[in-house]
Amino acid sequence: MSSTRSRIRYAVADFLPIAAVVSIAMVLSVIAFLLVRGYYIGADSQQFERDTAYYSTNFKGDVVRHVNSMAAIRAFVSASHDVSRWEFSSFAHQILPQNSGFKAVLWLPHIGGPQRKAFEAGLERDGLYGLRLRELTEAGELVNAGARDAYLPVAYVEPFEASGSLIGVDLSDNPIYAPLFDAATRTGKVVVSAPVSRALVDGARAPIVLVVFPLSRPQNSVAPAVKAGAPRAPEGYALGVLQLDRVIEDAIGPRAPIQAAIAFGPAKAPVVYTAGLKGQTENLAHWFGNAEFHQVEPFTVAGKHFFLTMRSARNGDVLTRVYVPLGTALLILALTALLVQSMLTTIMRKRQVERAVIERTSELRQINEALGIEIAQRRQAEAQLRIAKDKAESANRAKSAFL
């Protein structure tokens, strides 16, 4: 029993280093898998940060350029006391190709109630015969504008081919545009709306932002009088219908490694406005979805805060996420297998040598035992011979004495 236990302890002692090496190799392979995978994830994360910094800078620059273009239109109108439709069209045609985010740009003069007929007569002189001031009903129908103290009709619009039907539409009482005009009148500065899902311009894709520039010059004869202490009404407003998704397309492009959308609302929970004619919204977490990387970059348009939400367009490459880390782990296991094989070979050779030594020792022991028995037998035979010799000599002496 004790010999069996000794053999077991002896075998465990031999294979214990192998078990330790295998355990360490398993731990190292898992660590190597995680480290290599983490390295590539970190590298992709840094690349995503560089991409978002680059594309967000491009986007912000494009937004600023669009707003400055509207300021240029306002400056053009303010520099001339009498801008014709064709001059406005010519100037706008120089700006719009460089700012594809604008679906349309409009000029809305401030017309007093008594000047309504003169304005309508001016439309006829421009070739728009029979056109009268109109307004939108709640049902979205165009009807003749009712009598009021002042009007804000669309006098010029570009591109005219797509939005010419807006000429003569009064926006002074429109629930979407009127608050913007009031804010621009109070501040005397550019005003930007929150994202809206629709505008008067046909085919505009949400999210749409309305950019309003007031034009204030010394009051002329056609501007309506205002009450004392009230802010003087501007001579008119330059209005731009800005499609932010088009700005994103120009700044980022369809083949970029990231996807972007516009968000608006509280900084902790802004609402994402998906691009399209329907203008649907969704919460930020849902828009991020299963994207591996995402980021929110704030930006402002004329003092109004928006967010540019960005997410990775595709998840990590399976080569760097699985195959390379797995290959590293398998390499460690393969090297461990070679080491274990070498250790097993050494142990087996050691066992063979030990068995040979044991067998040879046993043979030598048996030979020694046989030699010991043979020596004892020879000694016993020698003793018997000496005894017989002594007896013979004693008999000879007794015989001689007798004779």
Side-chain angles (χ1 to χ4, degrees):
M1 179 67 70
S2 60
S3 61
T4 302
R5 291 180 179 177
S6 298
R7 286 196 298 271
I8 293 174
R9 285 196 298 269
Y10 184 70
V12 170
D14 280 344
F15 287 98
L16 186 60
I18 295 178
V21 169
V22 172
S23 300
I24 293 173
M26 294 292 292
V27 174
L28 288 178
S29 62
V30 173
I31 294 175
F33 179 88
L34 296 177
L35 286 178
V36 174
R37 190 171 187 271
Y39 168 79
Y40 283 107
I41 291 176
D44 290 345
S45 176
Q46 293 177 0
Q47 183 62 46
F48 176 78
E49 291 178 358
R50 289 192 292 268
D51 290 339
T52 53
Y54 172 76
Y55 289 116
S56 63
T57 301
N58 286 351
F59 172 79
K60 292 177 182 178
D62 286 355
V63 170
V64 171
R65 190 186 71 245
H66 280 72
V67 175
N68 290 341
S69 298
M70 283 299 301
I73 293 177
R74 191 270 301 265
F76 170 74
V77 175
S78 64
S80 302
H81 290 278
D82 187 15
V83 178
S84 69
R85 183 181 312 281
W86 322 119
E87 290 173 336
F88 181 85
S89 176
S90 177
F91 186 79
H93 272 296
Q94 298 177 22
I95 292 178
L96 289 180
Q98 304 172 10
N99 300 277
S100 60
F102 280 124
K103 183 64 177 178
V105 292
L106 307 90
W107 168 245
L108 298 90
H110 202 128
I111 304 298
Q115 285 76 39
R116 173 175 178 173
K117 291 184 178 181
F119 179 79
E120 293 176 341
L123 295 179
E124 291 190 356
R125 285 195 300 270
D126 288 340
L128 302 174
Y129 300 104
L131 193 60
R132 297 291 181 266
L133 290 188
R134 298 163 294 164
E135 62 183 357
L136 278 172
T137 64
E138 294 182 356
E141 298 178 353
L142 283 174
V143 297
N144 289 332
R148 52 177 61 97
D149 294 337
Y151 301 91
L152 285 174
V154 178
Y156 307 143
V157 58
E158 287 295 331
F160 182 82
E161 296 79 6
S163 307
S165 60
L166 295 178
I167 299 296
V169 176
D170 176 38
L171 300 181
S172 61
D173 199 35
N174 187 278
I176 297 177
Y177 296 89
L180 297 176
F181 299 141
D182 293 340
T185 301
R186 289 194 306 270
T187 62
K189 300 178 181 179
V190 58
V191 174
V192 176
S193 72
V196 295
S197 58
R198 59 187 179 85
L200 295 177
V201 181
D202 293 334
R205 297 189 302 175
I208 302 168
V209 170
L210 305 175
V211 184
V212 177
F213 270 94
L215 173 58
S216 298
R217 292 189 297 201
Q219 194 165 0
N220 53 26
S221 59
V222 298
V226 295
K227 297 180 180 179
R232 183 171 60 86
E235 186 174 338
Y237 303 91
L239 171 64
V241 180
L242 181 59
Q243 303 173 113
L244 288 178
D245 71 307
R246 289 297 302 273
V247 181
I248 290 176
E249 290 178 1
D250 292 342
I252 298 178
R255 297 185 179 180
I258 67 170
Q259 296 174 342
I262 299 299
F264 182 80
K268 294 184 178 179
V271 176
V272 179
Y273 289 79
T274 56
L277 296 177
K278 295 182 179 180
Q280 298 177 349
T281 61
E282 55 184 317
N283 62 61
L284 188 61
H286 185 269
W287 187 83
F288 283 150
N290 296 325
E292 189 172 15
F293 307 109
H294 50 76
Q295 186 171 330
V296 177
E297 184 71 20
F299 69 97
T300 59
V301 182
K304 188 173 288 292
H305 296 281
F306 296 84
F307 300 94
L308 179 65
T309 59
M310 294 167 284
R311 64 186 179 188
S312 53
R314 53 185 178 274
N315 291 329
D317 187 4
V318 67
L319 177 65
T320 59
R321 291 294 189 274
V322 178
Y323 293 139
V324 173
L326 185 60
T328 303
L330 291 177
L331 177 61
I332 293 176
L333 294 178
L335 294 175
T336 303
L338 293 176
L339 178 60
V340 169
Q341 182 181 10
S342 177
M343 294 176 68
L344 285 174
T345 301
T346 301
I347 292 173
M348 296 306 295
R349 288 179 179 177
K350 176 184 174 183
R351 291 288 185 87
Q352 290 177 356
V353 171
E354 289 176 349
R355 283 197 298 269
V357 170
I358 292 173
E359 291 176 357
R360 187 60 179 167
T361 302
S362 177
E363 292 176 358
L364 292 175
R365 186 182 297 111
Q366 292 176 0
I367 293 173
N368 288 335
E369 290 177 355
L371 289 175
I373 294 173
E374 184 177 354
I375 291 171
Q377 291 176 349
R378 289 184 178 183
R379 287 177 178 176
Q380 185 178 3
E382 288 178 356
Q384 291 176 354
L385 288 175
R386 281 196 298 271
I387 294 172
K389 180 180 178 183
D390 291 341
K391 288 181 178 181
E393 290 178 351
S394 298
N396 287 333
R397 286 196 297 270
K399 183 179 178 181
S400 300
F402 178 75
L403 293 177

